[in-house]
Amino acid sequence: TDDGGVWGTTDAGTSWLSLAPDELPGSSAITAIVRCRVKPARLYLACSNHRQGDDSAYLFRSEDNGSSWTRIDNGLPLEPVRVVAVDPLHEGAVFVGTEFGLWFSSDFGFAWIPVSEGLPKCPISGIRVNGRALVVATYGRSIWVCDHVDILYELLVKTTT
């Protein structure tokens, strides 16, 4: 919801349980909830609390359908996280779009690398990993496509070693 609510159901909507992480500011807008296609119990949750003057990144991962959450935004800049995408072909590969750029993690969100080559510094509004292609939509600027995400991964990992 746009006020910090995260809800889940296991009985087709008859009853709902709160799944909000304890560290989630109560007034936050939930900007993304993504389920990993390879491991369905793994969820990623992003929120923004900028309406309250808090531009911190808030990003969480759950390995148990939201029963417990781990905060994974350490290393991201102080800017709201807008979108999340998981690569189903590469275990641990996660992309997040923030208010001013694109970030990549190869280790489930423990460490983050900026992806800036060819991208304008602007809000990222959509990310899709489709086979070997990475497609990124920016707010009002462009669509950015990397046809060979494997090569991008190699380049990003080399820059940090």
Side-chain angles (χ1 to χ4, degrees):
T1 64
D2 67 351
D3 61 358
V6 181
W7 303 91
T9 182
T10 58
D11 57 13
T14 300
S15 61
W16 293 84
L17 298 170
S18 174
L19 301 177
D22 292 336
E23 291 184 63
L24 185 73
S27 56
S28 298
I30 305 304
T31 57
I33 301 175
V34 175
R35 181 178 300 277
C36 178
R37 287 187 272 170
V38 176
K39 186 175 179 188
R42 181 177 296 139
L43 306 174
Y44 291 88
L45 175 117
C47 76
S48 172
N49 200 33
H50 76 278
R51 292 179 301 187
Q52 305 303 318
D54 178 4
D55 287 332
S56 300
Y58 289 98
L59 184 63
F60 302 87
R61 185 187 66 246
S62 173
E63 298 291 335
D64 55 11
N65 284 309
S67 294
S68 63
W69 296 92
T70 301
R71 195 158 174 192
I72 58 167
D73 48 46
N74 190 32
L76 289 174
L78 291 176
E79 53 197 50
V81 177
R82 299 170 57 95
V83 293
V84 180
V86 177
D87 184 342
L89 301 179
H90 294 87
E91 182 77 8
V94 182
F95 289 92
V96 297
T98 68
E99 196 65 26
F100 297 108
L102 180 67
W103 294 78
F104 168 72
S105 174
S106 62
D107 59 5
F108 305 99
F110 289 106
W112 295 97
I113 304 166
V115 181
S116 58
E117 188 65 37
L119 277 170
K121 188 173 183 176
C122 65
I124 303 298
S125 57
I127 306 169
R128 172 94 189 231
V129 181
N130 189 13
R132 294 183 63 199
L134 171 67
V135 182
V136 178
T138 64
Y139 181 77
R141 296 292 302 266
S142 62
I143 298 286
W144 184 83
V145 179
C146 175
D147 291 326
H148 299 285
V149 75
D150 296 336
I151 295 170
L152 177 64
Y153 293 160
E154 289 177 26
L155 292 172
L156 290 171
V157 171
K158 281 182 185 177
T159 63
T160 60
T161 56

Short mmCIF file of all heavy atoms in Angstrom, two decimals, residues 97-141:
data_model
loop_
_atom_site.label_atom_id
_atom_site.label_comp_id
_atom_site.label_asym_id
_atom_site.label_seq_id
_atom_site.Cartn_x
_atom_site.Cartn_y
_atom_site.Cartn_z
N GLY A 97 16.22 -0.15 -9.46
CA GLY A 97 16.20 1.18 -10.03
C GLY A 97 15.87 2.17 -8.93
O GLY A 97 14.91 1.97 -8.18
N THR A 98 16.67 3.20 -8.81
CA THR A 98 16.47 4.21 -7.78
C THR A 98 16.00 5.52 -8.42
O THR A 98 15.76 5.58 -9.63
CB THR A 98 17.76 4.46 -6.99
OG1 THR A 98 18.72 5.09 -7.84
CG2 THR A 98 18.32 3.17 -6.41
N GLU A 99 15.93 6.53 -7.62
CA GLU A 99 15.50 7.85 -8.10
C GLU A 99 16.49 8.42 -9.11
O GLU A 99 16.13 9.24 -9.95
CB GLU A 99 15.36 8.79 -6.90
CG GLU A 99 14.58 10.02 -7.18
CD GLU A 99 13.12 9.77 -7.53
OE1 GLU A 99 12.54 8.76 -7.11
OE2 GLU A 99 12.55 10.62 -8.23
N PHE A 100 17.77 7.97 -9.06
CA PHE A 100 18.77 8.53 -9.95
C PHE A 100 19.64 7.51 -10.66
O PHE A 100 20.71 7.86 -11.15
CB PHE A 100 19.67 9.52 -9.18
CG PHE A 100 18.91 10.69 -8.64
CD1 PHE A 100 18.69 10.79 -7.29
CD2 PHE A 100 18.42 11.66 -9.48
CE1 PHE A 100 17.98 11.86 -6.77
CE2 PHE A 100 17.71 12.74 -8.98
CZ PHE A 100 17.48 12.84 -7.62
N GLY A 101 19.25 6.23 -10.70
CA GLY A 101 20.09 5.28 -11.42
C GLY A 101 19.74 3.83 -11.23
O GLY A 101 18.77 3.46 -10.56
N LEU A 102 20.57 2.99 -11.85
CA LEU A 102 20.41 1.55 -11.85
C LEU A 102 21.56 0.90 -11.09
O LEU A 102 22.72 1.31 -11.25
CB LEU A 102 20.40 1.04 -13.30
CG LEU A 102 20.25 -0.46 -13.52
CD1 LEU A 102 18.86 -0.92 -13.08
CD2 LEU A 102 20.48 -0.79 -14.99
N TRP A 103 21.24 -0.11 -10.28
CA TRP A 103 22.23 -0.81 -9.47
C TRP A 103 22.07 -2.31 -9.67
O TRP A 103 20.98 -2.80 -9.93
CB TRP A 103 22.05 -0.45 -7.99
CG TRP A 103 22.37 0.98 -7.74
CD1 TRP A 103 21.58 2.07 -8.00
CD2 TRP A 103 23.60 1.49 -7.24
NE1 TRP A 103 22.24 3.22 -7.69
CE2 TRP A 103 23.48 2.90 -7.21
CE3 TRP A 103 24.78 0.90 -6.79
CZ2 TRP A 103 24.50 3.72 -6.77
CZ3 TRP A 103 25.79 1.72 -6.34
CH2 TRP A 103 25.65 3.11 -6.33
N PHE A 104 23.19 -3.04 -9.52
CA PHE A 104 23.21 -4.48 -9.74
C PHE A 104 23.88 -5.18 -8.56
O PHE A 104 24.86 -4.68 -8.00
CB PHE A 104 23.99 -4.81 -11.02
CG PHE A 104 24.32 -6.25 -11.19
CD1 PHE A 104 23.33 -7.17 -11.50
CD2 PHE A 104 25.62 -6.70 -11.03
CE1 PHE A 104 23.63 -8.52 -11.66
CE2 PHE A 104 25.93 -8.04 -11.18
CZ PHE A 104 24.94 -8.96 -11.49
N SER A 105 23.35 -6.34 -8.20
CA SER A 105 23.98 -7.21 -7.20
C SER A 105 24.05 -8.61 -7.77
O SER A 105 23.08 -9.10 -8.34
CB SER A 105 23.15 -7.23 -5.91
OG SER A 105 23.70 -8.17 -5.00
N SER A 106 25.17 -9.25 -7.60
CA SER A 106 25.32 -10.65 -8.04
C SER A 106 25.18 -11.61 -6.86
O SER A 106 25.27 -12.81 -7.04
CB SER A 106 26.69 -10.85 -8.70
OG SER A 106 27.73 -10.59 -7.77
N ASP A 107 24.95 -11.06 -5.65
CA ASP A 107 24.94 -11.90 -4.44
C ASP A 107 23.69 -11.67 -3.57
O ASP A 107 23.78 -11.52 -2.37
CB ASP A 107 26.21 -11.68 -3.63
CG ASP A 107 26.40 -10.23 -3.20
OD1 ASP A 107 25.49 -9.40 -3.45
OD2 ASP A 107 27.44 -9.92 -2.62
N PHE A 108 22.53 -11.62 -4.23
CA PHE A 108 21.24 -11.50 -3.54
C PHE A 108 21.06 -10.18 -2.80
O PHE A 108 20.22 -10.07 -1.93
CB PHE A 108 21.02 -12.66 -2.56
CG PHE A 108 21.14 -14.02 -3.17
CD1 PHE A 108 22.31 -14.73 -3.05
CD2 PHE A 108 20.08 -14.56 -3.87
CE1 PHE A 108 22.42 -16.00 -3.62
CE2 PHE A 108 20.19 -15.82 -4.45
CZ PHE A 108 21.36 -16.54 -4.33
N GLY A 109 21.85 -9.17 -3.12
CA GLY A 109 21.70 -7.86 -2.50
C GLY A 109 22.65 -7.56 -1.36
O GLY A 109 22.48 -6.56 -0.67
N PHE A 110 23.66 -8.38 -1.17
CA PHE A 110 24.64 -8.09 -0.11
C PHE A 110 25.59 -6.97 -0.51
O PHE A 110 26.04 -6.20 0.33
CB PHE A 110 25.42 -9.34 0.27
CG PHE A 110 24.59 -10.35 1.01
CD1 PHE A 110 24.17 -11.51 0.38
CD2 PHE A 110 24.20 -10.13 2.32
CE1 PHE A 110 23.39 -12.43 1.06
CE2 PHE A 110 23.43 -11.05 3.00
CZ PHE A 110 23.02 -12.21 2.36
N ALA A 111 25.91 -6.86 -1.81
CA ALA A 111 26.79 -5.80 -2.31
C ALA A 111 26.19 -5.27 -3.61
O ALA A 111 25.60 -6.03 -4.39
CB ALA A 111 28.20 -6.34 -2.56
N TRP A 112 26.37 -3.96 -3.85
CA TRP A 112 25.75 -3.30 -5.00
C TRP A 112 26.79 -2.59 -5.85
O TRP A 112 27.73 -2.00 -5.34
CB TRP A 112 24.70 -2.30 -4.53
CG TRP A 112 23.55 -2.98 -3.85
CD1 TRP A 112 23.38 -3.16 -2.51
CD2 TRP A 112 22.47 -3.63 -4.49
NE1 TRP A 112 22.22 -3.87 -2.27
CE2 TRP A 112 21.64 -4.18 -3.48
CE3 TRP A 112 22.09 -3.81 -5.82
CZ2 TRP A 112 20.48 -4.88 -3.75
CZ3 TRP A 112 20.93 -4.52 -6.10
CH2 TRP A 112 20.14 -5.03 -5.07
N ILE A 113 26.58 -2.65 -7.18
CA ILE A 113 27.46 -2.03 -8.15
C ILE A 113 26.60 -1.09 -9.01
O ILE A 113 25.55 -1.51 -9.50
CB ILE A 113 28.11 -3.10 -9.08
CG1 ILE A 113 28.85 -4.16 -8.26
CG2 ILE A 113 29.01 -2.44 -10.11
CD1 ILE A 113 29.20 -5.40 -9.07
N PRO A 114 27.04 0.16 -9.23
CA PRO A 114 26.25 1.03 -10.11
C PRO A 114 26.38 0.60 -11.57
O PRO A 114 27.45 0.18 -12.01
CB PRO A 114 26.87 2.42 -9.89
CG PRO A 114 28.25 2.14 -9.43
CD PRO A 114 28.21 0.83 -8.69
N VAL A 115 25.30 0.70 -12.31
CA VAL A 115 25.29 0.45 -13.75
C VAL A 115 25.00 1.80 -14.39
O VAL A 115 23.89 2.29 -14.33
CB VAL A 115 24.20 -0.56 -14.15
CG1 VAL A 115 24.23 -0.83 -15.65
CG2 VAL A 115 24.34 -1.86 -13.37
N SER A 116 26.03 2.40 -14.98
CA SER A 116 25.84 3.77 -15.46
C SER A 116 26.19 3.96 -16.93
O SER A 116 25.84 4.98 -17.51
CB SER A 116 26.66 4.73 -14.61
OG SER A 116 28.02 4.37 -14.64
N GLU A 117 26.87 3.03 -17.55
CA GLU A 117 27.31 3.20 -18.93
C GLU A 117 26.11 3.37 -19.87
O GLU A 117 25.31 2.46 -20.04
CB GLU A 117 28.15 2.00 -19.37
CG GLU A 117 28.82 2.16 -20.71
CD GLU A 117 29.85 3.28 -20.70
OE1 GLU A 117 30.54 3.45 -19.70
OE2 GLU A 117 29.95 3.98 -21.73
N GLY A 118 25.99 4.55 -20.44
CA GLY A 118 24.93 4.81 -21.41
C GLY A 118 23.58 5.18 -20.82
O GLY A 118 22.64 5.45 -21.56
N LEU A 119 23.48 5.19 -19.50
CA LEU A 119 22.21 5.53 -18.86
C LEU A 119 22.23 6.96 -18.36
O LEU A 119 23.21 7.40 -17.76
CB LEU A 119 21.97 4.62 -17.65
CG LEU A 119 21.38 3.26 -17.91
CD1 LEU A 119 21.44 2.41 -16.65
CD2 LEU A 119 19.94 3.38 -18.38
N PRO A 120 21.15 7.71 -18.58
CA PRO A 120 21.09 9.06 -18.00
C PRO A 120 20.88 8.97 -16.49
O PRO A 120 20.38 7.97 -15.98
CB PRO A 120 19.87 9.68 -18.68
CG PRO A 120 19.03 8.53 -19.08
CD PRO A 120 19.97 7.39 -19.36
N LYS A 121 21.28 10.02 -15.78
CA LYS A 121 21.05 10.08 -14.33
C LYS A 121 19.63 10.58 -14.12
O LYS A 121 19.36 11.79 -14.14
CB LYS A 121 22.06 11.01 -13.68
CG LYS A 121 22.01 10.98 -12.18
CD LYS A 121 23.12 11.79 -11.57
CE LYS A 121 23.06 11.66 -10.06
NZ LYS A 121 24.16 12.34 -9.42
N CYS A 122 18.70 9.62 -13.97
CA CYS A 122 17.28 9.96 -13.85
C CYS A 122 16.55 8.78 -13.19
O CYS A 122 17.13 7.71 -13.01
CB CYS A 122 16.69 10.28 -15.21
SG CYS A 122 16.67 8.89 -16.35
N PRO A 123 15.29 8.98 -12.83
CA PRO A 123 14.54 7.90 -12.19
C PRO A 123 14.38 6.68 -13.10
O PRO A 123 14.06 6.82 -14.27
CB PRO A 123 13.18 8.53 -11.90
CG PRO A 123 13.42 9.99 -11.87
CD PRO A 123 14.53 10.23 -12.86
N ILE A 124 14.61 5.51 -12.53
CA ILE A 124 14.38 4.27 -13.25
C ILE A 124 12.96 3.81 -12.91
O ILE A 124 12.63 3.63 -11.75
CB ILE A 124 15.41 3.19 -12.83
CG1 ILE A 124 16.85 3.69 -13.06
CG2 ILE A 124 15.15 1.88 -13.57
CD1 ILE A 124 17.20 4.01 -14.49
N SER A 125 12.15 3.64 -13.94
CA SER A 125 10.74 3.33 -13.70
C SER A 125 10.36 1.90 -14.05
O SER A 125 9.26 1.46 -13.72
CB SER A 125 9.85 4.31 -14.46
OG SER A 125 10.16 4.28 -15.84
N GLY A 126 11.25 1.15 -14.70
CA GLY A 126 10.95 -0.24 -15.02
C GLY A 126 12.21 -0.99 -15.37
O GLY A 126 13.13 -0.44 -15.97
N ILE A 127 12.26 -2.27 -14.96
CA ILE A 127 13.40 -3.14 -15.28
C ILE A 127 12.82 -4.50 -15.63
O ILE A 127 11.96 -5.03 -14.92
CB ILE A 127 14.36 -3.33 -14.09
CG1 ILE A 127 14.82 -1.99 -13.53
CG2 ILE A 127 15.55 -4.19 -14.49
CD1 ILE A 127 15.56 -2.11 -12.20
N ARG A 128 13.33 -5.10 -16.71
CA ARG A 128 12.90 -6.43 -17.09
C ARG A 128 14.10 -7.21 -17.59
O ARG A 128 14.85 -6.73 -18.44
CB ARG A 128 11.84 -6.34 -18.20
CG ARG A 128 11.44 -7.63 -18.82
CD ARG A 128 10.21 -8.17 -18.15
NE ARG A 128 9.93 -9.51 -18.60
CZ ARG A 128 8.76 -9.89 -19.03
NH1 ARG A 128 7.76 -9.05 -19.08
NH2 ARG A 128 8.57 -11.13 -19.38
N VAL A 129 14.31 -8.40 -17.03
CA VAL A 129 15.33 -9.31 -17.55
C VAL A 129 14.55 -10.35 -18.36
O VAL A 129 13.71 -11.07 -17.83
CB VAL A 129 16.13 -9.99 -16.42
CG1 VAL A 129 17.19 -10.90 -17.00
CG2 VAL A 129 16.75 -8.94 -15.51
N ASN A 130 14.82 -10.36 -19.66
CA ASN A 130 14.08 -11.22 -20.58
C ASN A 130 15.07 -12.09 -21.35
O ASN A 130 15.66 -11.63 -22.32
CB ASN A 130 13.24 -10.35 -21.52
CG ASN A 130 12.30 -11.16 -22.35
OD1 ASN A 130 12.07 -12.33 -22.09
ND2 ASN A 130 11.73 -10.54 -23.37
N GLY A 131 15.25 -13.31 -20.88
CA GLY A 131 16.25 -14.17 -21.50
C GLY A 131 17.63 -13.61 -21.26
O GLY A 131 18.06 -13.43 -20.13
N ARG A 132 18.32 -13.27 -22.35
CA ARG A 132 19.66 -12.69 -22.24
C ARG A 132 19.66 -11.17 -22.31
O ARG A 132 20.70 -10.54 -22.31
CB ARG A 132 20.55 -13.26 -23.34
CG ARG A 132 20.79 -14.75 -23.17
CD ARG A 132 21.71 -15.30 -24.22
NE ARG A 132 23.03 -14.68 -24.10
CZ ARG A 132 23.91 -14.68 -25.07
NH1 ARG A 132 23.66 -15.25 -26.21
NH2 ARG A 132 25.09 -14.10 -24.90
N ALA A 133 18.47 -10.56 -22.39
CA ALA A 133 18.39 -9.10 -22.53
C ALA A 133 17.95 -8.44 -21.23
O ALA A 133 17.11 -8.97 -20.50
CB ALA A 133 17.42 -8.74 -23.64
N LEU A 134 18.52 -7.28 -20.96
CA LEU A 134 18.11 -6.43 -19.85
C LEU A 134 17.49 -5.18 -20.46
O LEU A 134 18.11 -4.51 -21.29
CB LEU A 134 19.32 -6.05 -18.99
CG LEU A 134 19.09 -5.00 -17.91
CD1 LEU A 134 18.16 -5.56 -16.82
CD2 LEU A 134 20.40 -4.55 -17.31
N VAL A 135 16.25 -4.89 -20.08
CA VAL A 135 15.54 -3.71 -20.59
C VAL A 135 15.24 -2.80 -19.41
O VAL A 135 14.67 -3.24 -18.41
CB VAL A 135 14.24 -4.11 -21.31
CG1 VAL A 135 13.53 -2.89 -21.86
CG2 VAL A 135 14.52 -5.13 -22.41
N VAL A 136 15.63 -1.53 -19.53
CA VAL A 136 15.45 -0.57 -18.45
C VAL A 136 14.69 0.64 -19.00
O VAL A 136 15.09 1.22 -20.01
CB VAL A 136 16.82 -0.11 -17.88
CG1 VAL A 136 16.64 0.94 -16.80
CG2 VAL A 136 17.61 -1.31 -17.37
N ALA A 137 13.61 1.00 -18.32
CA ALA A 137 12.85 2.19 -18.68
C ALA A 137 13.17 3.30 -17.70
O ALA A 137 13.24 3.06 -16.49
CB ALA A 137 11.35 1.88 -18.65
N THR A 138 13.37 4.49 -18.22
CA THR A 138 13.62 5.64 -17.36
C THR A 138 12.42 6.57 -17.42
O THR A 138 11.64 6.53 -18.38
CB THR A 138 14.88 6.41 -17.80
OG1 THR A 138 14.67 6.95 -19.09
CG2 THR A 138 16.09 5.50 -17.80
N TYR A 139 12.28 7.38 -16.42
CA TYR A 139 11.16 8.30 -16.37
C TYR A 139 11.42 9.48 -17.30
O TYR A 139 12.25 10.34 -17.03
CB TYR A 139 10.94 8.80 -14.93
CG TYR A 139 9.77 9.73 -14.81
CD1 TYR A 139 8.47 9.23 -14.80
CD2 TYR A 139 9.96 11.09 -14.71
CE1 TYR A 139 7.39 10.08 -14.70
CE2 TYR A 139 8.89 11.96 -14.61
CZ TYR A 139 7.60 11.45 -14.61
OH TYR A 139 6.54 12.29 -14.51
N GLY A 140 10.73 9.50 -18.44
CA GLY A 140 10.78 10.62 -19.35
C GLY A 140 12.04 10.76 -20.18
O GLY A 140 12.23 11.78 -20.85
N ARG A 141 12.94 9.78 -20.16
CA ARG A 141 14.20 9.95 -20.88
C ARG A 141 14.39 8.92 -22.00
O ARG A 141 14.75 9.29 -23.10
CB ARG A 141 15.39 9.87 -19.92
CG ARG A 141 15.44 10.97 -18.88
CD ARG A 141 15.72 12.33 -19.49
NE ARG A 141 16.95 12.40 -20.24
CZ ARG A 141 18.10 12.80 -19.78
NH1 ARG A 141 18.23 13.17 -18.53
NH2 ARG A 141 19.15 12.84 -20.56
#
